[in-house]
Amino acid sequence: MRNLFVVLALCLGLLFAIHANAEPTLNRDLPPGLQIPDAARPGPNFDVDRATDAYINLLSPEQRAKSDAYFEGGYWLQLWNLLYGIGVSILLLASGWSRRMRETAQRISHRPWLYTAIYGVFWLLTMSVLSFPLSVYADFYREHQYGLATQSFGPWFLDQLKGLGVGLVILPFVLMAVYAAVRRAGQRWWVIAGGLSFVFSLFFSMLFPVFVAPLFNDYKPLPEGDVRTAVLSLAHANQIPTEHVEWFDASRQTTRISANVSGFAGTTRVNLNDNLMNKTSLPEIKAVMGHEMGHYVLNHSLRLTIYTSLLSLIGFWFINFSFGWAQARWGHRYGVEGLADPAGLPLVMVLFAVFSFVTTPVSNSIVRQAEAEADAFGLNAAREPNGFATSAMRLSTYRKIHPGHWEEIIFYDHPSGYERVHASMQWLKENQDNPTANAPLPVTAPTVTPAK
Ligand SMILES: [Zn+2]
């Protein structure tokens, strides 16, 4: 317990240091409104590569250097995250803390399902406290350093607490189910765990937009106007049965632009974030919504749930044999009695984290492929290649615009900005009569009342 207070004191110290150092950074956003460089105008000399380069050159060298630094720093952050998580888990095991948490849980109840759930609550609370310093650095300080975050510490911390609250509701059920599988199914537990991860992911993706997302942001119907008309028209033209178009105050947390189409059957809704509304033009909004509708029409959420559950299944199989090896070496020293003992959860998490780290290129490639499909769908649905190219350039404020081939395969869960602009210009080459590409500029942000 004394260690806990030392960690807390360190966190507070770090916090004050951060407040003292927080400084405003250069504005990295592209100007509002649609951007069409001369080389990206249709004409007899239209060249896909030249048009793409003209878009890429909209970024100043400083903007590009900063975006590269942010994104490449993220590669290292993945490694630090893994090592930090392993360190904290070993601390929990080697100090006997994990064993004592299980003993305390067993004093409260002797029923395995109940003490497993109680252990889960203890574990999540402890991990949240111990991981707090890294989370403050990665999710608060660094985001401010690069001008991507908008929240001061108080509201940010409150959001973290809400996230912890959601975790405390969900995790005990997940652990109860998986540990029950370990107790009942013996050596075949990992097959059932893979099935459970499919059911839980599907269930969570259904509950998320209705119960979780509104905890963090305000969702309001989008007022009548050009944007609402255009988005609904795009939805109806693509067999998306909805009249619900909402927007939410993402600018509370971030400067990033985004949108999504969520829900099933009667709960289907189209959500735009207010940064998208306030910084971009109608052709950009249509292009982004065409992409999001692509995810919906192509049934990506179900497909990705199936793929990631299959990957988790392999992860559980890996845990099944590697846990026995680790248990034989260290288990007795740490008071872990076997795979069915929740006191071994930190060890399970280390193994799972190593597995996820090693398979990151696989999971990224699975998602990136779906994103590329949605890109192609969106270009055909919205028919706004310059809108899509401009919004791809806006995303480059936090995503390196032109990575190497293998860098993209390993680290990117979306096509790079370069690939997206190139695909847009390829589409424009084949559709030279495109009205927006031939129309005069400027096309500026639509006027909307603030989402408050
Ligand atoms: Zn997408």
Side-chain angles (χ1 to χ4, degrees):
M1 207 56 194
R2 203 182 311 137
N3 297 352
L4 247 181
F5 288 115
V6 174
V7 171
L8 267 178
L10 279 175
C11 294
L12 285 175
L14 187 67
L15 247 182
F16 288 120
I18 284 164
H19 264 285
N21 283 329
E23 51 178 279
T25 46
L26 98 150
N27 186 5
R28 303 157 69 223
D29 283 346
L30 292 181
L34 186 68
Q35 315 282 317
I36 308 183
D38 288 341
R41 289 281 187 186
N45 298 321
F46 186 86
D47 178 85
V48 174
D49 290 327
R50 217 152 37 82
T52 304
D53 289 339
Y55 264 108
I56 304 299
N57 290 335
L58 290 178
L59 283 183
S60 71
E62 295 78 26
Q63 283 174 317
R64 196 163 164 178
K66 193 150 196 181
S67 148
D68 288 5
Y70 174 77
F71 202 72
E72 287 165 8
Y75 306 161
W76 287 102
L77 211 49
Q78 290 176 40
L79 180 66
W80 305 140
N81 246 318
L82 174 74
L83 296 177
Y84 193 94
I86 290 176
V88 167
S89 296
I90 291 175
L91 177 74
L92 287 188
L93 290 167
S95 64
W97 210 337
S98 184
R99 177 182 47 80
R100 284 202 295 277
M101 290 196 296
R102 188 248 292 133
E103 286 166 358
T104 308
Q106 282 174 323
R107 274 198 291 278
I108 299 170
S109 171
H110 272 293
R111 296 171 204 275
W113 64 268
L114 191 52
Y115 73 69
T116 300
I118 297 169
Y119 174 92
V121 170
F122 290 161
W123 175 82
L124 185 57
L125 288 172
T126 313
M127 284 303 283
S128 303
V129 173
L130 295 176
S131 307
F132 190 63
L134 185 58
S135 157
V136 169
Y137 169 72
D139 304 329
F140 181 77
Y141 175 68
R142 190 166 179 270
E143 291 294 295
H144 274 283
Q145 200 184 9
Y146 283 96
L148 293 166
T150 54
Q151 265 174 325
S152 60
F153 187 79
W156 176 82
F157 185 64
L158 194 63
D159 275 359
Q160 300 298 303
L161 288 181
K162 288 182 198 166
L164 176 62
V166 172
L168 287 173
V169 172
I170 294 168
L171 182 79
F173 289 102
V174 175
L175 288 183
M176 278 193 302
V178 174
Y179 275 91
V182 174
R183 287 194 305 272
R184 303 265 167 84
Q187 285 299 304
R188 289 277 171 271
W189 70 271
W190 55 276
V191 181
I192 296 176
L196 285 171
S197 85
F198 174 73
V199 173
F200 276 119
S201 311
L202 212 56
F203 194 56
F204 190 67
S205 62
M206 284 168 77
L207 297 186
F208 183 85
V210 185
F211 294 105
V212 182
L215 294 176
F216 298 90
N217 291 97
D218 236 5
Y219 287 75
K220 297 251 165 80
L222 188 68
E224 295 293 340
D226 292 353
V227 177
R228 190 184 161 84
T229 306
V231 170
L232 277 178
S233 161
L234 198 54
H236 295 161
N238 290 284
Q239 319 276 317
I240 298 174
T242 188
E243 294 299 326
H244 304 290
V245 183
E246 303 202 320
W247 68 324
F248 59 102
D249 55 350
S251 60
R252 239 193 105 227
Q253 288 107 350
T254 179
T255 60
R256 292 167 158 91
I257 57 172
S258 79
N260 61 70
V261 179
S262 64
F264 293 88
T267 68
T268 305
R269 63 190 74 191
V270 179
N271 301 313
L272 289 75
N273 91 5
D274 58 349
N275 294 325
L276 180 70
M277 295 289 298
N278 295 327
K279 289 183 188 177
T280 73
S281 55
L282 192 56
E284 288 171 82
I285 294 175
K286 284 163 74 179
V288 169
M289 296 321 293
H291 167 96
E292 300 303 336
M293 290 178 191
H295 282 310
Y296 184 86
V297 173
L298 301 171
N299 224 347
H300 281 166
S301 64
L302 180 63
R303 194 180 86 192
L304 291 178
T305 307
I306 292 172
Y307 284 7
T308 46
S309 301
L310 283 174
L311 202 58
S312 302
L313 178 81
I314 302 171
F316 290 130
W317 169 80
F318 168 75
I319 290 170
N320 189 46
F321 78 79
S322 58
F323 187 92
W325 170 83
Q327 160 83 4
R329 285 186 76 131
W330 301 296
H332 294 294
R333 201 183 323 154
Y334 298 157
V336 175
E337 287 161 10
L339 192 55
D341 177 5
L345 183 65
L347 187 53
V348 170
M349 286 300 175
V350 166
L351 298 172
F352 204 77
V354 170
F355 176 82
S356 307
F357 183 79
V358 172
T359 55
T360 299
V362 179
S363 49
N364 278 345
S365 294
I366 289 172
V367 178
R368 197 178 58 250
Q369 191 206 4
E371 293 295 340
E373 286 173 13
D375 284 358
F377 183 99
L379 279 170
N380 284 319
R383 311 183 68 79
E384 294 290 359
N386 299 99
F388 197 60
T390 305
S391 56
M393 291 310 298
R394 288 189 199 285
L395 300 181
S396 71
T397 53
Y398 56 89
R399 208 181 273 152
K400 186 177 178 179
I401 190 84
H402 198 183
H405 178 66
W406 283 103
E407 188 180 9
E408 185 160 351
I409 290 176
I410 294 171
F411 292 111
Y412 278 62
D413 60 2
H414 283 71
S416 69
Y418 183 89
E419 290 295 329
R420 288 181 139 173
V421 173
H422 197 272
S424 304
M425 293 302 102
Q426 185 68 52
W427 192 94
L428 182 56
K429 178 176 184 270
E430 308 303 333
N431 295 273
Q432 290 272 296
D433 59 344
N434 180 260
T436 309
N438 289 290
L441 286 177
V443 180
T444 49
T447 40
V448 279
T449 43
K452 279 276 178 253

